[in-house]
Amino acid sequence: MVAVDLGGTRMKCGLVAADGAVVHRETRATPREAGGRAVLDALVDTVVELGQKAAADGHRVRAAGVVVPGIIDAHQGTVSAENLLWVNTPVLAELQAAVGPDQQVTLAHDVRAGGYAEVRVGALRGTTNSLFLPLGTGIAAAMVVDGSLVSGDGYAGELGHTRFVQGEAAELCACGQRGCLETVASAAALARRYGARTGEVVDGAREVLELLAAGDPDAAAVWDEALTALVDALVLYTTLVAPTRIAIGGGLVGAGETLLAPLREGVHERLTFQREPEIVAAELGEEAGCLGAAFMAWDVAAGPAHD
Amino acid sequence: MVAVDLGGTRMKCGLVAADGAVVHRETRATPREAGGRAVLDALVDTVVELGQKAAADGHRVRAAGVVVPGIIDAHQGTVSAENLLWVNTPVLAELQAAVGPDQQVTLAHDVRAGGYAEVRVGALRGTTNSLFLPLGTGIAAAMVVDGSLVSGDGYAGELGHTRFVQGEAAELCACGQRGCLETVASAAALARRYGARTGEVVDGAREVLELLAAGDPDAAAVWDEALTALVDALVLYTTLVAPTRIAIGGGLVGAGETLLAPLREGVHERLTFQREPEIVAAELGEEAGCLGAAFMAWDVAAGPAHD
């Protein structure tokens, strides 16, 4: 399979064998500054060239999986993604036309693809009701419900854009709503909120975590706000969808038990009648999206899934 | 099919033909005051006797569907239901032993069964991502996601026990949590909160709705609190699971457009990037649970569902 994880700054690309082995890796720049049309052209070129490389190396390309950070309309094959300057862009049709009928192209949401990979070979292996929640620049969720990854026609899983901050403290989110989880608990939010609180510019969430470890009270304050909202979100998700395991991913999970222990404790204290989920770190890191793209493309090419 | 909708006060029972026609209806008292053992015995007797009646009338009983208001452990076949005084009670095993191997017994959650009926023959017909939300004595949700009714091993759908009231205003719920949707937006909550606010005892939510229509300011206040929490809940559900249609059921939907119009307006105002769902009244009323029990039992007896 050709697999491409298209982000706002980079395309992580690979050739993946049927057994999940990554036989080739490369990274290309996403020409976002040149506009949405240029991003799509670069994506199409990348998928075509990776297929040519595979053929030249003597492999048969069965399918191409492309994951994107945006809303995929499953019926239309169009993508809307602020990061890529796409609005209802006909990505699937252009990709499929470029690679021809021998390679079936599958489009998937980056986080859902990552969740799919975690279920197949990562921290959620063996689960039928679970959640993959990467805390990165943004926050979205991959929901596994009754054995299937939830799509909701491409719209489901926006736990990051659910209100978990109330009243005066609720900031306006990029999505247009107020008080979204993403405004306090994403890696980007931690850095931004620490900066707003102290007037000091920090170099990302990693620096906030270092300050936290060093006992900085402002770092502790923004961290506590993030944890409070995250516990709310996990309790809500547990009440509504009853996962047995929750895998936290993204940059923030680099904090390890500093993040996971208070989440476990907070959720445990709040639950009453609900089934308590395990809360663990995701296992596949940055490669999850690309692996998920390959697995999804493989499954689509191999025919409909069976229960 | 034999179908029984077991509630805390009554058992609504029926014989349902394969085409969904109800060929016999009866209602029996639930002997709750005699304890959980008596409730189970009464349920078993009812299912057995309905089967005997069907056979005497010349029908062949293929299956029995029983719906209960509680948490059903799908792996164990046990039920926990405060209303029925059951704690991990082995309902499925006792029922199956009593009716014998010729009738396959299916246990389901009452609200999920109602949602299943709404999808099959009611307000959610034709939907693959939708929500059935009955606002009755309690609040639970039947979630249809990617074409299937969500079970979560029996634990999913507890939207009524999700926090939508914050801070000082958050009341303790029967479930042990604070600020649950059910504490402000169930039919029981409306009556209770009106009483607490005014010191006057009202005869259920219906009377609060009459007072509301007559311009009573206290009725308007408790109604507005309910609407605010319901809009929050519907926005959250839409963001997370992306339904195309939401059917409101239960006693409160008797308020008609007094309920539905402000919910539509409130949800419309709050959504930004999300797909907007239709918000409609459920169609099957009190019979939804019983019909759903029959449909579910039929589908189980007829073999695995196909996509």
Side-chain angles (χ1 to χ4, degrees):
Chain A
M1 287 82 68
V2 168
V4 178
D5 181 354
L6 176 60
T9 53
R10 287 177 306 158
M11 290 185 265
K12 286 173 272 186
C13 323
L15 292 169
V16 182
D19 63 357
V22 181
V23 295
H24 170 73
R25 281 185 183 85
E26 63 178 270
T27 298
R28 298 182 177 197
T30 302
R32 187 179 181 280
E33 69 292 344
R37 179 71 245 175
V39 171
L40 181 53
D41 288 342
L43 172 65
V44 169
D45 289 349
T46 300
V47 171
V48 168
E49 287 163 26
L50 281 167
Q52 288 165 347
K53 175 176 169 47
D57 293 351
H59 302 295
R60 178 172 163 237
V61 178
R62 287 280 302 270
V66 173
V67 302
V68 297
I71 288 177
I72 300 162
D73 186 305
H75 298 299
Q76 308 290 333
T78 57
V79 179
S80 295
E82 206 183 334
N83 259 345
L84 306 172
L85 309 172
W86 286 353
V87 180
N88 294 320
T89 303
V91 178
L92 185 60
E94 294 221 8
L95 280 170
Q96 191 65 69
V99 299
D102 291 344
Q103 274 182 52
Q104 189 169 358
V105 179
T106 301
L107 269 187
H109 184 270
D110 57 351
V111 172
R112 276 195 287 280
Y116 197 65
E118 292 287 348
V119 170
R120 289 284 291 263
V121 298
L124 300 176
R125 219 169 18 233
T127 63
T128 52
N129 285 286
S130 56
L131 174 70
F132 171 54
L133 187 66
L135 308 174
T137 309
I139 298 178
M143 307 161 58
V144 178
V145 172
D146 293 348
S148 298
L149 191 68
V150 171
S151 155
D153 305 317
Y155 291 84
E158 300 291 349
L159 192 60
H161 296 291
T162 293
R163 188 159 78 185
F164 290 106
V165 185
Q166 315 295 332
E168 292 295 304
E171 281 183 48
L172 187 64
C173 180
C175 78
Q177 300 179 99
R178 284 196 173 273
C180 293
L181 180 64
E182 195 169 294
T183 65
V184 289
S186 65
L190 274 185
R192 180 175 43 72
R193 287 168 68 81
Y194 184 85
R197 191 181 172 92
T198 61
E200 291 169 38
V201 175
V202 289
D203 184 24
R206 183 186 296 263
E207 193 176 335
V208 178
L209 290 171
E210 287 167 5
L211 288 159
L212 176 72
D216 182 287
D218 292 305
V222 296
W223 183 246
D224 283 348
E225 287 162 350
L227 287 176
T228 299
L230 282 169
V231 167
D232 271 2
L234 297 184
V235 167
L236 180 145
Y237 190 85
T238 299
T239 305
L240 194 58
V241 201
T244 57
R245 196 179 303 157
I246 294 172
I248 309 286
L252 282 199
V253 85
E257 287 301 307
T258 304
L259 174 67
L260 297 173
L263 290 184
R264 280 189 205 109
E265 193 180 329
V267 169
H268 177 78
E269 278 177 14
R270 286 271 306 279
L271 297 183
T272 57
F273 67 96
Q274 303 96 325
R275 179 168 69 170
E276 186 166 346
E278 292 178 83
I279 299 174
V280 302
E283 288 178 5
L284 302 175
E286 293 223 328
E287 203 149 73
C290 209
L291 270 179
F295 284 130
M296 287 177 137
W298 177 259
D299 290 350
V300 169
H306 298 283
D307 286 334
Chain B
M1 286 83 70
V2 168
V4 178
D5 180 356
L6 177 61
T9 53
R10 289 178 304 157
M11 290 186 263
K12 285 172 273 185
C13 325
L15 292 170
V16 182
D19 63 359
V22 181
V23 296
H24 170 73
R25 283 185 181 85
E26 63 179 90
T27 299
R28 299 182 176 197
T30 302
R32 187 180 182 280
E33 71 292 346
R37 179 69 245 173
V39 171
L40 180 53
D41 288 343
L43 172 65
V44 169
D45 290 349
T46 300
V47 171
V48 168
E49 287 163 26
L50 280 168
Q52 289 165 344
K53 175 175 170 46
D57 292 350
H59 301 297
R60 179 173 161 234
V61 178
R62 288 279 303 269
V66 173
V67 302
V68 297
I71 288 178
I72 300 162
D73 187 307
H75 299 300
Q76 308 291 331
T78 57
V79 178
S80 295
E82 205 183 332
N83 259 346
L84 306 171
L85 309 171
W86 285 353
V87 180
N88 294 322
T89 303
V91 179
L92 185 60
E94 294 222 8
L95 280 170
Q96 191 65 69
V99 300
D102 292 343
Q103 274 182 52
Q104 187 168 359
V105 179
T106 301
L107 268 187
H109 184 272
D110 57 351
V111 172
R112 276 195 287 280
Y116 198 64
E118 292 287 349
V119 170
R120 288 284 290 265
V121 297
L124 299 177
R125 220 170 15 235
T127 62
T128 53
N129 285 286
S130 55
L131 174 70
F132 171 54
L133 186 66
L135 308 174
T137 308
I139 299 179
M143 306 161 59
V144 177
V145 172
D146 294 348
S148 298
L149 193 68
V150 171
S151 155
D153 305 318
Y155 290 84
E158 300 291 350
L159 192 60
H161 295 291
T162 293
R163 187 160 79 186
F164 290 106
V165 186
Q166 315 295 332
E168 293 294 306
E171 283 183 46
L172 188 63
C173 180
C175 78
Q177 300 179 98
R178 283 194 174 273
C180 293
L181 180 64
E182 196 168 294
T183 64
V184 290
S186 66
L190 274 186
R192 182 174 42 71
R193 287 169 68 81
Y194 184 86
R197 189 182 174 93
T198 60
E200 290 168 39
V201 175
V202 288
D203 183 25
R206 182 186 298 264
E207 192 177 335
V208 178
L209 290 172
E210 287 166 4
L211 288 160
L212 176 71
D216 182 286
D218 292 305
V222 296
W223 183 247
D224 283 349
E225 287 162 351
L227 287 176
T228 298
L230 282 169
V231 167
D232 271 2
L234 297 184
V235 167
L236 179 145
Y237 190 85
T238 299
T239 305
L240 194 57
V241 201
T244 57
R245 196 178 304 157
I246 295 172
I248 309 287
L252 281 199
V253 84
E257 288 300 307
T258 304
L259 173 67
L260 297 173
L263 291 183
R264 281 189 205 110
E265 192 180 332
V267 168
H268 178 78
E269 276 176 15
R270 287 271 305 278
L271 297 183
T272 58
F273 67 97
Q274 303 96 325
R275 179 168 69 169
E276 186 165 345
E278 290 178 85
I279 299 174
V280 301
E283 290 178 3
L284 302 175
E286 293 222 326
E287 203 149 73
C290 209
L291 269 179
F295 285 130
M296 288 176 136
W298 177 259
D299 290 349
V300 169
H306 298 283
D307 286 336

